[in-house]
Each structure stands twice: as structure tokens, then as C-alpha cells.
Amino acid sequence: MQKKWWHDKVAYQIYPKSFMDSNGDGIGDLRGIIGKLDYLKELGIDMIWISPIYQSPFIDQGYDISDYYKIAEEFGTMEEFDLLLEEAKKREIQIVMDLVINHCSSKHEWFQKALDDPAGEYAEYFYFVKGKDGNPPSNYRSYFGGSTWEKVPGTDNYYLHMFAKEQPDLNWENPKVRKELFDMVNWWLDKGIGGFRIDAIINIKKDLAFPDFEPDGPDGMCRATKMVEEVDGIGKFLGELKRETFAKYDAFTVGEVFNMKEEELEEFVGEDGYFSTMFDFQPHILTSSENGWYDTREVDFLKWKAAIFSSQVECQDRVFLANIIENHDEPRGASRYLPEHARNPQGVKMLGTVSILLRGIPFIYQGQEIGMTNCRREDIHDYDDIDTYHQYQVALDAGLSKEEALDACYRFSRDNARTPMQWNAEKNAGFTMGKPWLAVNENYREINVEDQEKDPNSVLNYYKRLIRLRKDSEWKEVFVYGNFLPMYEKDEQIFAYARKAGEKTAVVLANFGEKEMVVELDKKIRKVLLSNQDKMAGIDENKVILKPCEVVVVSI
Ligand code: TEU
Ligand code: CA
């Protein structure tokens, strides 16, 4: 495999609104991030993906951009962004921006001009489509509920929005739109950013006939992703995007790709793929239900392990994945992938280990490194996220009680990952001197950076050792490029795999179960490379005793 500068990096996702507030307005900002670069450097981070910081009305928390060339005043100024870039470079940290080009904000001047003249050239920047007998052009349900079609005032046209009605989809069929977007991407790359995380990109290709599909819910509509899955031709757009932008800068790109056609994997992220890599979401979509969050299943350990193992085995000779436990759209891993008895610091260290030593670029989400958890709210109005309000209503419409609907939000709300970063045990977890835009998780007194920095056995200090092992000069080749070899696949407690390059083999052994286990290896154990125990239960020639929540990495 041709080596690339990003292959051996350890990445960290910052959700800027919740990371660190430097000016007391309760909203995280760029100066807050600058102040934490040393913390991230010490953690072992080489690359930071920052969720959108462009000008936005924040209907969808910045994923609705009203000016691609401006920094949202809530986060700071372009000068502060340039300072962030410079300070990151000094620490050999690459900055990766979030690229949201399937849609923009309805406040964007393109859309405002389109509304002013629905027959003019800017209407062509979007999908303005005639209704059918006074109804929307098709029966698609948006990601956030309701029709994907909104009336264009004063006309019998509708405009398409896969997400919120304040996020009109950009018309990629229009070469003027593609040129505007490519120019913008190159403008940011010229500033010296390392690359982009590419938002919701699978949605950019539409079936222009907008056919109806069999309804899949009580609202008589069909999920819009059905159209996305059925239509061909996205490659034309993505190939042009890469040629006209990323390829010119050797930029790193990581696709947020759901609903991709299996057979298109290499096209997307192979050697000459549209993107450098893409997130492996197989473990995350395992439990989701098309009916909604209320209908999701608990994680089944064997299925979860199988999902990770099959991604690793299927991809390792073909593409380079990016692995996550959580992100700004997903529940906290510590509250999702750990069985009840393992929801403790040892379990969190174990979960981090089995994920971060996989083949592929690890992306750590802010707060994951200290074991932040989901946050239970007493009332739906304690939530902010547009998708949470939508899913709460879906649960009520399905006949659940308010308590049950609220419990579904507790388990799946995107706000679980958006509670302020917990820096210390002071007021508002040290995130802000003001009133946080979203209330902190009350467990910040037990889970915070400051306390964990002082405790050699903390999750944070374990994560530092874990990342150091992954980057250790003796083991780097193994963990970055080494083969992935599944082990104990059918075992209902053990999560184990080997990583092998040349003559060097490391084995990861973890006990997710409630009983002590003896694990036998077919080779002699040479050395313990990492353990989450200050004293291991037992180890001899080719056997390891693993207590519940115990993880160990050995060389054989
Ligand atoms: O998410 C794209 C996406 O597929 C979402 O529908 C995601 O699956 C959902 O939010 C899970 O609840 C991206 C961003 O990550 C998300 O934050 C934005 O809301 C969305 O695009 C629109 O930009
Ligand atoms: Ca602020």
C-alpha cells in the first residue's frame, strides 16, 4: 500500500461549541481551542477535525452554513482562526475542517437570491421543482422528519431539503454550483489546513425524476435515503471534486458516508479513491431502526464484535478506514458499547484499547479520553438538538409515554455528545465562566480532566499510554499497517485480535464479560505492552487470566 502522511496519525474531533469558552458567553470558541492545544499535544494528537465554525444561524449547530468564507462570530474571527492554524502548526498538529456541501443555510445569499427570483439563475443553485396536483413532488421524509419538500413562496414550486427546511440542498448538477464550491475548498486549502471531513456527502446525487417510493412509515412517506441508495452517478461529482481540489494539495479527506453501494468501496476510499478514508459506521448502524430511536435495540456483544471484525478483515487489503467509538451525532460509547457491569473507568479503558489499536486512523471524540457519558435530562426542553425534538415526537406518535420518549432521547440524543467538555470540578466543569449554551453533565465532579491529570491510573493517563503504544517506534508499523487477525470470534465475553507485520505480532485481549477468564495463546508471550491493571490477575508462558473489564496487550 502506498504510504501517505496521514496513515500514522491519531486524530481528535472537537465540537467547538462545547469544547472551551474563553470569553464567558457560554459558547466554546477558537481562543478556547488554542488554549487547549498543549493538552491535545500531550494526549498524543496529530490531527484535529473541528466541526463547522463557519457563519451559521445554528439551526443544525453549524451544519447550516450561511457564509463559507466567514468564521461564525460566536466562535471568533478569521484572524483567530489563522492564529489557531499557526499555533497548531507549531505543535505539528494538522487542522481538518468540516466540509458541508450537500446543502447550505436558507440564510445563504444564494438561497436568498433564489427566493427573490425563483425563475432566476440562483434558483438553479437548488432543486426548485414543480409540485404534483398541489402536493410536494415526491413522498420523501427528511432526516429530521416531515417532507423533504418546502413550498417556494409565491410559486407552485417546492425546494428540496434532505435535512431541515433551513438547509436547502445544493444542485450539484449545476456546473456553476460545483465551481463555487471547488473555489471555496481551494481557498481553505490555500490557507494551509490539512484537509476536510466531508459531511453527508452521499446525498449530493439525486434522481432528478424524484420518483415516489413505497411508504415505510405511518406518515405515508419514505425515507429520502431510499432515493439516494437507488440512484447511480455520484462518482462523476466526487471524481471532479477530488481532481479540482484535494488532489492538488495532497489533502487528507475523511468521508462521512452512509448508504454507500457496497461495490463502490474502492471507488470511494481505495488507492485512488475520492477520499483518503471514510469512517467505519458498521458498529453504529447495527442497533439503529428505521422506525426511530425509540425502536433501537441494545448492543449485542457478539454482533458488535462481528461488525468490527468484518470491517477490519474485508477492508484491510483494499482500503484504509477511520475508526471511531463516538462522534457529535452518536451517543457516548461508555454508555452504549459497555455492558452495564463494565460502565466504569476500567471498562472505558478497555473499550478505548480495542478500538484505538484497530487498523485504520483512530478519531477520538472530545471527552472520550476521560470517559464522558450520556447525560439524562428531566424534560425534553433541556435538549437543544433539532433531531432530538424530531425523534421525541416520533416516539410519542408511536404511542410511547413522555417518560419512554425521554428515555429514548437519553439513550440516543446527539446532545449526549454535545454537553460541555469537563475540564475540572469547578462551576460548569471549567468550560465557561458564563451560562453554558447546553447544561453540563452533572457527573463532571467525578469525571474531569484536572482530577484525571493528577491520577496516574485515570482514564486520561491510560489513553496517553495507549496512544504512545500505537505510535511507539518499535510497534508503529504493526499498528498502522499490520494485518488484523480476529481471535475468539464466537466467544461471548472475550474481544481479542492480533496485529501482525513481518515478524512482529501484538495481541489485544479484553474481557467484556462478568466472569474471570483464562485465555490461552498458541504462542509464547514475550512481553506485556499495555495493561489497564496495576497488577495483573495472572500471566504465564502462553496463558493470561483476565478479570472482568481487564484488557492487556502482549507481544508474542
Ligand atoms: O450527518 C449526516 C447524517 O447522516 C445524519 O443524518 C446522522 O446520521 C444523524 O445526524 C444521526 O442522528 C451529518 C452531520 O454529522 C450531522 O451533525 C448533520 O446534522 C447532518 O450531516 C446535516 O449536515
Ligand atoms: Ca465563547
Side-chain angles (χ1 to χ4, degrees):
M1 150 173 270
Q2 196 194 1
K3 299 204 173 181
K4 294 281 189 180
W5 65 261
W6 51 77
H7 282 161
D8 64 355
K9 297 295 175 275
V10 173
Y12 189 93
Q13 180 192 355
I14 287 180
Y15 194 73
K17 197 163 183 177
S18 308
F19 189 64
M20 180 65 205
D21 170 24
S22 70
N23 63 351
D25 64 359
I27 297 173
D29 45 52
L30 297 183
R31 283 206 173 278
I33 296 174
I34 292 169
K36 296 296 179 184
L37 287 175
D38 287 335
Y39 164 76
L40 294 171
K41 187 68 186 168
E42 205 191 309
L43 179 57
I45 301 303
D46 315 293
M47 179 150 69
I48 300 173
W49 153 29
I50 307 178
S51 274
I53 50 176
Y54 316 93
Q55 185 179 291
S56 164
F58 289 93
I59 301 292
D60 184 17
Q61 292 303 4
Y63 283 93
D64 47 320
I65 296 167
S66 53
D67 189 328
Y68 287 97
Y69 292 91
K70 283 208 180 75
I71 298 295
E73 59 187 18
E74 292 83 348
F75 293 136
T77 64
M78 188 58 81
E79 291 68 35
E80 286 168 330
F81 175 78
D82 293 339
L83 179 60
L84 167 60
L85 208 48
E86 192 187 319
E87 287 303 316
K89 269 198 175 25
K90 277 184 200 161
R91 296 164 175 82
E92 293 180 280
I93 294 177
Q94 293 278 357
I95 297 292
V96 168
M97 294 282 270
D98 208 316
L99 189 59
V100 187
I101 46 179
N102 172 68
H103 48 273
C104 62
S105 162
S106 50
K107 295 284 183 241
H108 194 288
E109 67 161 344
W110 297 337
F111 192 70
Q112 293 300 310
K113 286 180 173 171
L115 293 181
D116 290 348
D117 177 6
E121 71 162 313
Y122 283 98
E124 298 296 312
Y125 275 40
F126 302 93
Y127 295 93
F128 278 30
V129 180
K130 236 181 194 8
K132 270 186 331 203
D133 323 320
N135 291 315
S138 69
N139 69 339
Y140 306 158
R141 179 187 315 109
S142 88
Y143 283 92
F144 298 150
S147 171
T148 55
W149 298 100
E150 188 70 18
K151 215 60 203 310
V152 177
T155 77
D156 57 359
N157 285 345
Y158 291 75
Y159 69 86
L160 177 71
H161 58 87
M162 300 291 274
F163 294 91
K165 65 179 185 318
E166 297 88 349
Q167 293 170 289
D169 279 54
L170 288 161
N171 179 356
W172 272 72
E173 305 292 339
N174 182 342
K176 284 184 200 160
V177 169
R178 298 201 299 272
K179 171 96 175 58
E180 296 260 22
L181 294 176
F182 299 163
D183 288 349
M184 177 270 292
V185 170
N186 291 333
W187 187 83
W188 282 102
L189 288 170
D190 281 335
K191 287 177 83 73
I193 64 172
F196 292 97
R197 174 264 185 183
I198 325 271
D199 181 73
I201 195 68
I202 202 74
N203 298 287
I204 63 170
K205 180 67 185 173
K206 275 75 171 166
D207 180 337
L208 300 178
F210 297 113
D212 279 346
F213 289 99
E214 195 56 36
D216 63 13
D219 56 8
M221 288 189 262
C222 170
R223 59 188 174 81
T225 41
K226 183 84 177 121
M227 179 262 290
V228 163
E229 286 165 356
E230 303 276 316
V231 72
D232 289 320
I234 191 169
K236 182 170 131 332
F237 293 154
L238 296 179
E240 187 186 352
L241 167 64
K242 178 185 176 183
R243 274 191 313 280
E244 297 299 319
T245 62
F246 312 139
K248 296 176 176 175
Y249 297 80
D250 191 23
F252 168 74
T253 52
V254 51
E256 181 209 33
V257 182
F258 290 95
N259 312 95
M260 177 190 75
K261 294 177 181 67
E262 284 271 306
E263 64 275 14
E264 295 189 345
L265 179 68
E266 268 91 350
E267 264 180 72
F268 270 69
V269 287
E271 202 76 59
D272 300 317
Y274 307 128
F275 307 120
S276 319
T277 184
M278 63 190 263
F279 292 111
D280 174 19
F281 287 122
Q282 293 314 309
H284 304 80
I285 61 177
L286 205 59
T287 54
S288 48
S289 150
E290 280 173 11
N291 297 325
W293 291 347
Y294 74 89
D295 189 34
T296 45
R297 295 171 295 285
E298 281 300 303
V299 171
D300 168 275
F301 175 74
L302 276 176
K303 288 185 183 146
W304 173 64
K305 177 168 71 169
I308 294 172
F309 281 16
S310 61
S311 290
Q312 290 283 305
V313 170
E314 276 158 38
C315 292
Q316 63 180 338
D317 303 326
R318 302 160 64 194
V319 299
F320 218 72
L321 288 175
N323 299 304
I324 60 165
I325 291 176
E326 59 200 55
N327 65 23
H328 67 291
D329 288 334
E330 300 292 339
R332 287 285 181 177
S335 303
R336 181 186 200 180
Y337 296 119
L338 290 172
E340 204 63 47
H341 70 271
R343 291 182 185 173
N344 57 53
Q346 293 298 66
V348 167
K349 296 172 193 172
M350 175 173 70
L351 178 62
T353 308
V354 302
S355 175
I356 286 169
L357 295 182
L358 291 171
R359 187 178 183 281
I361 303 169
F363 273 74
I364 295 165
Y365 179 67
Q366 69 179 48
Q368 173 189 327
E369 78 275 19
I370 58 172
M372 279 176 69
T373 67
N374 282 358
C375 176
R376 193 176 287 280
R377 301 295 191 188
E378 296 314 314
D379 183 294
I380 184 62
H381 297 104
D382 295 333
Y383 286 99
D384 176 275
D385 170 36
I386 185 172
D387 206 14
T388 303
Y389 280 91
H390 155 234
Q391 289 284 347
Y392 178 74
Q393 193 55 51
V394 166
L396 294 180
D397 294 349
L400 276 74
S401 69
K402 282 190 175 172
E403 292 68 32
E404 289 164 332
L406 206 54
D407 185 59
C409 296
Y410 165 63
R411 286 182 293 120
F412 271 87
S413 171
R414 303 193 297 178
D415 277 349
N416 281 309
R418 302 175 182 187
T419 60
M421 180 69 184
Q422 294 166 194
W423 296 105
N424 58 44
E426 309 299 316
K427 194 166 172 312
N428 295 318
F431 162 71
T432 178
M433 299 306 284
K435 182 177 184 306
W437 71 277
L438 185 68
V440 295
N441 188 325
E442 279 310 307
N443 66 13
Y444 71 90
R445 297 178 187 82
E446 294 79 42
I447 300 175
N448 65 73
V449 167
E450 190 175 271
D451 290 351
Q452 293 195 21
E453 278 179 332
K454 295 174 203 150
D455 171 3
N457 293 322
S458 65
V459 172
L460 176 61
N461 280 315
Y462 180 84
Y463 257 77
K464 289 178 185 174
R465 291 195 291 276
L466 170 59
I467 294 168
R468 257 200 306 275
L469 171 62
R470 184 182 166 90
K471 300 167 81 167
D472 179 294
S473 54
E474 193 191 344
W475 290 98
K476 183 170 171 168
E477 188 68 17
V478 170
F479 290 120
V480 174
Y481 295 108
N483 270 354
F484 174 90
L485 305 159
M487 294 165 60
Y488 288 87
E489 292 173 87
K490 296 288 167 253
D491 193 291
E492 305 205 340
Q493 289 202 169
I494 298 297
F495 193 117
Y497 59 85
R499 299 295 317 275
K500 186 175 181 350
E503 291 314 303
K504 293 184 81 63
T505 303
V507 178
V508 179
L509 301 168
N511 182 358
F512 278 71
E514 296 190 76
K515 294 194 307 295
E516 186 168 285
M517 297 286 282
V518 178
V519 177
E520 247 182 273
L521 301 175
D522 54 8
K523 291 224 181 71
K524 203 163 100 47
I525 292 169
R526 291 172 186 243
K527 197 176 158 206
V528 173
L529 302 175
L530 183 68
S531 160
N532 70 345
Q533 309 290 317
D534 35 19
K535 191 176 170 330
M536 285 180 65
I539 184 164
D540 67 22
E541 185 139 286
N542 68 339
K543 273 205 280 299
V544 180
I545 301 172
L546 292 175
K547 291 199 298 274
C549 299
E550 181 163 356
V551 62
V552 66
V553 185
V554 297
S555 59
I556 57 173

